[in-house]
Amino acid sequence: MPDVLTFLLQIAAIVLSARFVGILFRRLGQPQVLGEMVAGILLGPSLLGWVSPALSQTLFPLESIGYLQTLSQVGLLLFMFLVGLEFDPAYLRNQGHAALLASHASITAPFLLGSVLALFLYPQLSNANVAFREFALFVGVAMSVTAFPVLARILVERNLFKTKFGAMVIACAAVDDITAWCVLAYIVALVRSSEDSMPLYVTIGLLTLFIVLMVTICRRLLRKFAEHFERHGRLTDESMALILMLLLGCATLTEYLGVHLLFGAFLFGAVLPKNPLFVHSVVERIQSLTLVLLLPVFFAFTGLRTSIGLVQGAEMWMLCGLIILVAVAGKLGGSAIAARFAGVGWRDSIALGIFMNTRGLMELVVLNIGLDLGVLSPAVFSMMVLMALMTTFMTVPLFNLVAGDQTASEEALQPASAEA
Amino acid sequence: MMSRGKSVLIYLLLVGGPFLGVIGVLRLGDSLQAPPSIAGDWELDARLDANANTPCSASLGGFQRNFFTISQSGKFVEVQLPNHGRDLLRGALADDEIRVEAAPALFGDDVFQLLRISGRVSQDNGVLTMHGVLSMPRRIDCVPIPFLARRVNAPVSRKAAH
C-alpha cells in the first residue's frame, strides 16, 4: 500500500495539472474537459514517464495504481449517474424523424466502419486469446460514442442550447447515448459470459427485467423524492443518503449481472424525477467534487495506462491515422448524410455531424472497459485515446469553419419551442 | 415534408443496411487469425553471471530478479523488466519468433540501450516457453547468454466460450 503522503501528493499533482491544462485549453477556445484529459495523458508514460522515469516512478509507484483505479471508478460512477440524471426524455419530444434517423445512423454507420476496420486491426493489434467478434464489436462501439456532457457544454457556451438546432443535436446525442450504452452493456455481457458461470441469455434476460422494472415501477416510486423535495423546499441529507445508497445498489446489481456498474449508475440517474429544481439540487451536491477531484483522477488513471510510445514506426502511426479517419468519416459523415436525407440543410447537417463526432471522456470510459476486459490491446487503447482527443479537439474549430460568423443557419437558430 | 414510405425506406437504407453489414463483417472476421498470445509474466532461467565483472553486467541488471513481463498488442510486444525504472524493451512477434530491444529513453543509459532479446516461443506440455538469447549486439566484449523462459502468469483467454 502506498503511504498516505504519496497518495496525497498524487491527488494534488493530478488536480493541479488538470486545472492548469484545463484552463489553458479553455483560453484557447477548447472545452476545459479536453485540457483535463490531456493533463491526465501528460502525467503518464507518454510524457512524465518519458522525460523523467524516476520522478514518474516516485510519484506513481506501481503499487499505488490500484488505489487510483478505485477512486477513479467512484468518480465515474458518480459522473455516469449525473449524465443519466441530466438526461431528460423531454429532449426527444417535438423532434421529428430527422433526429431519430440522424442519431441511429450516427451509431450504425461508424459501427459498420469500425467493424470493417477491425478486419485490418485484428491480425496486427490483437491476439489469439481475443475472439474477433468481441474485438470488432468493441471497436464498433468505440467509434459510435458521443460525449453528451461535453457536447451539451459546447452548445451552452455557444448559446445554441435552446435553439432548434441545439435541440436537434441534444436529441440526437441523447438517443445516441442511450443506444450506445445499451449496445455496450450487451457487448460487456457477451465478453464476460465467456468467463462467468452465468450464460449470456440469463444475463440479457435479467438485465431486460431490471431495465423494465427501473423504468416502470421504480420510476414511479422514485417520484417520492421529488414530492419530498417540493414539501421541504430542499434536498435533505436523508434523501441524499438514500439516493446514494440506491445508486450504489443499482451499480452493484448491474455489475453482479455481468454488465458493468456504470450502466446501473447511468440507468438510476435516468429514471430519477426530472423536476428541474430537484435535479439541480442533486447535481449541485455531487458535481463539484466529481468534476474537480474525481474525474481528473480518472483522466490520470487513463493517462497512466496510455503510452503514446506504443504507437511507434510508420506502420503504427498509419494505423492510428486510419482509426481517426474512420472515426470521423463514420460519425461525422454518417450523421450529416442521415440528417441531409431527412431534409435538414447541408450546413446544419454537417454542423450536426461535427457535434456528434465529439467523443470526449465518454470514449475514455468505453476504452477503459475494453482494456480492463482484455479485449483492446494496450496499443489499440492508446491509439483510440488519441482518436478521442483528436475528435474532441476538432469540434470547435470545425464548427467555426462551417458556421462562419453565424453559429448556425437562421432557421436553425429559432427557439426550439417554435417548432412545437 | 417527406412521405412516410420514403422515410421508412431511408431509415432502412441508413440504419438497417449498416446493421446487416456489421453482421456480415462479424461472419467474415471469424476466420481471421491473430498472433498467438504471449502476454504475461515470464520466469527466466539463464546463466546471468556469464558476463560478471564486465561492464556488460550493468545491462543485465534488470534481469537479476529472474523474471520479466510481456505486454502485447498483436504482433507488437513490450518486455518490462522488474527493476526500479521498469525499463522497457520493444519489438515484434513474427509467427513464433520474438525480437525486442531496449527502448531508448530520453535520458537513458547508453549501456542499457544495447540490450536485446531474441527467441522462439513454443508450447511445451501446455506451458508456453521461450528459448532464446540475451545479447548486447553493439558490444563485442559481451557474451550472448542463452536462456529458457516459461510463462507463469497469463491473461484470461476470451475465446473459451466461442
Side-chain angles (χ1 to χ4, degrees), chain A residues 262-413:
Chain A
L262 297 182
F263 186 76
F266 175 77
L267 188 61
F268 178 66
V271 298
L272 270 180
K274 300 302 170 193
N275 173 335
L277 287 175
F278 169 73
V279 170
H280 180 73
S281 294
V282 179
V283 169
E284 205 175 33
R285 290 270 186 109
I286 298 177
Q287 188 165 264
S288 188
L289 193 69
T290 306
L291 296 189
V292 175
L293 178 75
L294 298 175
L295 269 189
V297 172
F298 168 66
F299 295 143
F301 175 67
T302 304
L304 288 169
R305 312 172 98 186
T306 306
S307 178
I308 294 173
L310 282 176
V311 190
Q312 53 174 333
E315 188 184 0
M316 292 279 260
W317 279 108
M318 271 174 63
L319 288 172
C320 184
L322 194 61
I323 287 174
I324 295 170
L325 190 71
V326 167
V328 175
K331 198 74 187 174
L332 197 159
S335 317
I337 290 170
R340 183 70 193 105
F341 264 104
V344 179
W346 261 121
R347 200 169 71 162
D348 289 342
S349 296
I350 293 170
L352 174 78
I354 290 167
F355 274 107
M356 297 301 281
N357 188 40
T358 312
R359 286 181 178 79
L361 75 125
M362 300 300 267
E363 178 76 21
L364 298 190
V365 175
V366 173
L367 296 180
N368 274 282
I369 293 174
L371 187 66
D372 287 337
L373 291 171
V375 177
L376 298 181
S377 63
V380 174
F381 176 81
S382 298
M383 290 176 183
M384 293 248 183
V385 168
L386 283 176
M387 179 270 281
L389 293 176
M390 283 297 291
T391 54
T392 311
F393 180 79
M394 64 176 68
T395 302
V396 174
L398 276 184
F399 181 71
N400 287 341
L401 196 70
V402 170
D405 292 337
Q406 283 185 304
T407 42
S409 71
E410 281 181 21
E411 189 202 352
L413 282 172

Side-chain angles (χ1 to χ4, degrees), chain A residues 57 104 126 128-129 134 373 379, chain B residues 2 11 35 73-74 86 158 162:
Chain A
Q57 251 309 101
H104 284 176
S126 189
N129 262 4
E134 294 167 355
L373 291 171
Chain B
M2 207 183 296
Y11 189 87
S73 298
R86 287 192 272 161
R158 310 216 145 274
H162 299 277

Side-chain angles (χ1 to χ4, degrees), chain B residues 54-67:
Chain B
T54 70
C56 308
S57 61
S59 299
L60 298 169
F63 285 104
Q64 293 309 316
R65 284 163 69 183
N66 285 340
F67 80 91

Side-chain angles (χ1 to χ4, degrees), chain B residues 70-123:
Chain B
I70 293 184
S71 162
Q72 182 183 17
S73 298
K75 63 182 184 181
F76 302 96
V77 289
E78 269 192 353
V79 173
Q80 190 166 66
L81 308 186
N83 56 356
H84 181 69
R86 287 192 272 161
D87 293 320
L88 280 178
L89 289 88
R90 286 187 175 138
L93 176 72
D95 295 326
D96 57 353
E97 281 192 37
I98 179 174
R99 185 181 158 124
V100 292
E101 287 183 342
L106 191 61
F107 305 114
D109 177 342
D110 282 341
V111 176
F112 174 74
Q113 286 183 41
L114 302 172
L115 187 58
R116 177 188 291 170
I117 296 177
S118 50
R120 188 178 287 270
V121 180
S122 60
Q123 283 280 352

Side-chain angles (χ1 to χ4, degrees), chain A residues 148-170:
Chain A
F148 182 83
V150 180
L151 190 148
R153 216 176 291 177
I154 297 173
L155 285 173
V156 170
E157 283 168 11
R158 307 290 301 232
N159 290 324
L160 285 169
F161 197 82
K162 293 191 190 295
T163 63
K164 198 172 157 185
F165 173 74
M168 185 171 72
V169 172
I170 283 294

